[in-house]
Amino acid sequence: MSTKHAAWFRTVAIAEAISWTGLLIGMLFKYVLSDNEIGVKIFGPIHGGIFIAYVITVLVVRGPLRWPWPVTLAALAASIPPLFTWFFEIWAVRTGRIDAAQQTPVPSTT
């Protein structure tokens, strides 16, 4: 399993969830609290870019991470509901689809 690909996927998945959160907060202010759309203007394009990066990342890392199509489709579907990329990332770590452990060399004692 490629640690580099797993780390990249985890980073993009969490960034996508964070950008969704920012966009949701912006939408709350725009449509519910104050009619101020600055949050949507800021987080809309950020989320859109990270969303596209997430979809591309899933398609790129599926081979090195040896994901079958059902796992790949679940990862892609996770990009639609808010925060599900983060939930998918947690599930993927727990089920061994990505390795959360960092491959750090252990110094020899001899």
Short mmCIF file of all heavy atoms in Angstrom, two decimals, residues 30-58:
data_model
loop_
_atom_site.label_atom_id
_atom_site.label_comp_id
_atom_site.label_asym_id
_atom_site.label_seq_id
_atom_site.Cartn_x
_atom_site.Cartn_y
_atom_site.Cartn_z
N LYS A 30 -25.94 33.70 4.71
CA LYS A 30 -26.60 34.29 3.53
C LYS A 30 -28.11 34.09 3.57
O LYS A 30 -28.87 35.02 3.31
CB LYS A 30 -26.03 33.68 2.26
CG LYS A 30 -26.70 34.23 1.00
CD LYS A 30 -26.09 33.66 -0.26
CE LYS A 30 -26.80 34.24 -1.49
NZ LYS A 30 -26.22 33.74 -2.72
N TYR A 31 -28.55 32.90 3.88
CA TYR A 31 -29.97 32.57 3.74
C TYR A 31 -30.78 32.63 5.03
O TYR A 31 -32.00 32.71 4.97
CB TYR A 31 -30.13 31.19 3.11
CG TYR A 31 -29.58 31.13 1.71
CD1 TYR A 31 -28.45 30.38 1.42
CD2 TYR A 31 -30.18 31.85 0.68
CE1 TYR A 31 -27.94 30.34 0.13
CE2 TYR A 31 -29.68 31.81 -0.61
CZ TYR A 31 -28.56 31.05 -0.88
OH TYR A 31 -28.06 31.02 -2.15
N VAL A 32 -30.12 32.61 6.20
CA VAL A 32 -30.87 32.53 7.45
C VAL A 32 -30.61 33.72 8.36
O VAL A 32 -31.54 34.36 8.83
CB VAL A 32 -30.56 31.21 8.21
CG1 VAL A 32 -31.29 31.17 9.54
CG2 VAL A 32 -30.90 30.01 7.36
N LEU A 33 -29.36 34.04 8.59
CA LEU A 33 -29.04 35.00 9.64
C LEU A 33 -28.97 36.45 9.18
O LEU A 33 -29.43 37.34 9.90
CB LEU A 33 -27.73 34.61 10.33
CG LEU A 33 -27.72 33.25 11.02
CD1 LEU A 33 -26.36 32.96 11.62
CD2 LEU A 33 -28.81 33.18 12.09
N SER A 34 -28.38 36.72 8.02
CA SER A 34 -28.12 38.14 7.74
C SER A 34 -28.20 38.58 6.28
O SER A 34 -27.98 39.74 6.01
CB SER A 34 -26.74 38.51 8.28
OG SER A 34 -25.75 37.89 7.50
N ASP A 35 -28.44 37.70 5.37
CA ASP A 35 -28.46 38.06 3.95
C ASP A 35 -27.10 38.57 3.47
O ASP A 35 -27.01 39.31 2.51
CB ASP A 35 -29.56 39.08 3.65
CG ASP A 35 -29.90 39.13 2.16
OD1 ASP A 35 -29.76 38.09 1.50
OD2 ASP A 35 -30.29 40.21 1.69
N ASN A 36 -26.04 38.19 4.18
CA ASN A 36 -24.67 38.57 3.81
C ASN A 36 -24.06 37.39 3.06
O ASN A 36 -23.93 36.30 3.60
CB ASN A 36 -23.86 38.88 5.06
CG ASN A 36 -22.47 39.36 4.75
OD1 ASN A 36 -21.93 39.11 3.68
ND2 ASN A 36 -21.86 40.04 5.70
N GLU A 37 -23.67 37.60 1.81
CA GLU A 37 -23.19 36.49 1.00
C GLU A 37 -21.67 36.39 0.90
O GLU A 37 -21.16 35.62 0.09
CB GLU A 37 -23.82 36.55 -0.38
CG GLU A 37 -23.56 37.81 -1.15
CD GLU A 37 -24.32 37.82 -2.46
OE1 GLU A 37 -25.55 37.65 -2.43
OE2 GLU A 37 -23.66 37.99 -3.49
N ILE A 38 -20.94 37.09 1.72
CA ILE A 38 -19.48 37.06 1.63
C ILE A 38 -18.92 35.65 1.87
O ILE A 38 -17.98 35.23 1.21
CB ILE A 38 -18.82 38.11 2.57
CG1 ILE A 38 -17.31 38.21 2.27
CG2 ILE A 38 -19.05 37.77 4.02
CD1 ILE A 38 -17.00 38.92 0.99
N GLY A 39 -19.52 34.92 2.82
CA GLY A 39 -19.05 33.55 3.11
C GLY A 39 -19.21 32.63 1.92
O GLY A 39 -18.34 31.81 1.63
N VAL A 40 -20.32 32.77 1.20
CA VAL A 40 -20.55 31.95 0.02
C VAL A 40 -19.60 32.36 -1.10
O VAL A 40 -19.06 31.52 -1.82
CB VAL A 40 -22.02 32.05 -0.43
CG1 VAL A 40 -22.25 31.32 -1.75
CG2 VAL A 40 -22.95 31.50 0.64
N LYS A 41 -19.36 33.66 -1.23
CA LYS A 41 -18.43 34.14 -2.27
C LYS A 41 -17.01 33.65 -2.01
O LYS A 41 -16.25 33.40 -2.95
CB LYS A 41 -18.45 35.66 -2.34
CG LYS A 41 -19.67 36.20 -3.02
CD LYS A 41 -19.60 37.71 -3.17
CE LYS A 41 -20.79 38.23 -3.94
NZ LYS A 41 -20.71 39.68 -4.14
N ILE A 42 -16.64 33.52 -0.74
CA ILE A 42 -15.29 33.05 -0.40
C ILE A 42 -15.21 31.54 -0.48
O ILE A 42 -14.34 30.98 -1.15
CB ILE A 42 -14.88 33.55 1.00
CG1 ILE A 42 -14.71 35.07 0.98
CG2 ILE A 42 -13.60 32.85 1.47
CD1 ILE A 42 -14.53 35.68 2.36
N PHE A 43 -16.12 30.85 0.22
CA PHE A 43 -16.00 29.39 0.33
C PHE A 43 -16.58 28.63 -0.86
O PHE A 43 -16.22 27.47 -1.06
CB PHE A 43 -16.65 28.90 1.64
CG PHE A 43 -15.78 29.14 2.83
CD1 PHE A 43 -16.04 30.19 3.69
CD2 PHE A 43 -14.68 28.33 3.08
CE1 PHE A 43 -15.23 30.43 4.78
CE2 PHE A 43 -13.87 28.56 4.17
CZ PHE A 43 -14.14 29.60 5.02
N GLY A 44 -17.44 29.25 -1.65
CA GLY A 44 -17.97 28.57 -2.83
C GLY A 44 -16.88 28.14 -3.80
O GLY A 44 -16.76 26.95 -4.11
N PRO A 45 -16.05 29.06 -4.26
CA PRO A 45 -14.98 28.67 -5.18
C PRO A 45 -13.92 27.76 -4.52
O PRO A 45 -13.38 26.86 -5.17
CB PRO A 45 -14.35 30.00 -5.59
CG PRO A 45 -15.38 31.03 -5.32
CD PRO A 45 -16.18 30.51 -4.17
N ILE A 46 -13.64 28.00 -3.25
CA ILE A 46 -12.67 27.15 -2.55
C ILE A 46 -13.19 25.72 -2.51
O ILE A 46 -12.47 24.77 -2.84
CB ILE A 46 -12.39 27.68 -1.13
CG1 ILE A 46 -11.62 29.00 -1.20
CG2 ILE A 46 -11.64 26.66 -0.29
CD1 ILE A 46 -11.50 29.73 0.13
N HIS A 47 -14.45 25.57 -2.10
CA HIS A 47 -15.03 24.23 -2.02
C HIS A 47 -15.11 23.59 -3.41
O HIS A 47 -14.82 22.40 -3.56
CB HIS A 47 -16.42 24.27 -1.38
CG HIS A 47 -17.10 22.94 -1.42
ND1 HIS A 47 -16.65 21.86 -0.69
CD2 HIS A 47 -18.18 22.52 -2.13
CE1 HIS A 47 -17.43 20.82 -0.95
NE2 HIS A 47 -18.36 21.19 -1.81
N GLY A 48 -15.49 24.38 -4.42
CA GLY A 48 -15.56 23.83 -5.77
C GLY A 48 -14.22 23.29 -6.25
O GLY A 48 -14.15 22.19 -6.82
N GLY A 49 -13.15 24.03 -5.99
CA GLY A 49 -11.82 23.57 -6.39
C GLY A 49 -11.38 22.33 -5.64
O GLY A 49 -10.84 21.39 -6.23
N ILE A 50 -11.63 22.31 -4.33
CA ILE A 50 -11.23 21.14 -3.54
C ILE A 50 -12.09 19.94 -3.89
O ILE A 50 -11.61 18.81 -3.91
CB ILE A 50 -11.25 21.47 -2.04
CG1 ILE A 50 -10.20 22.55 -1.72
CG2 ILE A 50 -10.98 20.22 -1.21
CD1 ILE A 50 -10.22 23.05 -0.29
N PHE A 51 -13.36 20.17 -4.19
CA PHE A 51 -14.24 19.09 -4.63
C PHE A 51 -13.68 18.42 -5.88
O PHE A 51 -13.59 17.19 -5.96
CB PHE A 51 -15.66 19.63 -4.89
CG PHE A 51 -16.56 18.64 -5.57
CD1 PHE A 51 -17.22 17.67 -4.84
CD2 PHE A 51 -16.74 18.66 -6.95
CE1 PHE A 51 -18.05 16.75 -5.46
CE2 PHE A 51 -17.56 17.75 -7.58
CZ PHE A 51 -18.22 16.79 -6.84
N ILE A 52 -13.30 19.22 -6.87
CA ILE A 52 -12.72 18.67 -8.10
C ILE A 52 -11.41 17.94 -7.79
O ILE A 52 -11.16 16.85 -8.30
CB ILE A 52 -12.52 19.78 -9.14
CG1 ILE A 52 -13.88 20.28 -9.63
CG2 ILE A 52 -11.67 19.31 -10.32
CD1 ILE A 52 -13.85 21.54 -10.44
N ALA A 53 -10.59 18.52 -6.92
CA ALA A 53 -9.34 17.86 -6.53
C ALA A 53 -9.62 16.52 -5.85
O ALA A 53 -8.90 15.54 -6.07
CB ALA A 53 -8.53 18.76 -5.60
N TYR A 54 -10.67 16.45 -5.04
CA TYR A 54 -11.02 15.20 -4.35
C TYR A 54 -11.42 14.13 -5.37
O TYR A 54 -10.94 12.99 -5.28
CB TYR A 54 -12.16 15.44 -3.36
CG TYR A 54 -12.64 14.17 -2.70
CD1 TYR A 54 -11.97 13.64 -1.61
CD2 TYR A 54 -13.76 13.49 -3.17
CE1 TYR A 54 -12.40 12.47 -1.01
CE2 TYR A 54 -14.19 12.33 -2.57
CZ TYR A 54 -13.51 11.81 -1.50
OH TYR A 54 -13.93 10.64 -0.90
N VAL A 55 -12.27 14.47 -6.32
CA VAL A 55 -12.71 13.50 -7.32
C VAL A 55 -11.51 12.98 -8.12
O VAL A 55 -11.36 11.77 -8.32
CB VAL A 55 -13.78 14.11 -8.25
CG1 VAL A 55 -14.07 13.20 -9.44
CG2 VAL A 55 -15.07 14.38 -7.47
N ILE A 56 -10.65 13.89 -8.54
CA ILE A 56 -9.45 13.48 -9.29
C ILE A 56 -8.55 12.62 -8.41
O ILE A 56 -8.02 11.59 -8.85
CB ILE A 56 -8.71 14.71 -9.84
CG1 ILE A 56 -9.55 15.38 -10.92
CG2 ILE A 56 -7.33 14.34 -10.37
CD1 ILE A 56 -9.05 16.75 -11.35
N THR A 57 -8.39 13.01 -7.15
CA THR A 57 -7.54 12.24 -6.23
C THR A 57 -8.05 10.82 -6.06
O THR A 57 -7.28 9.86 -6.09
CB THR A 57 -7.45 12.95 -4.87
OG1 THR A 57 -6.84 14.23 -5.05
CG2 THR A 57 -6.65 12.15 -3.86
N VAL A 58 -9.36 10.67 -5.88
CA VAL A 58 -9.94 9.32 -5.73
C VAL A 58 -9.60 8.48 -6.96
O VAL A 58 -9.17 7.32 -6.83
CB VAL A 58 -11.47 9.39 -5.53
CG1 VAL A 58 -12.11 8.02 -5.69
CG2 VAL A 58 -11.81 9.96 -4.17
#
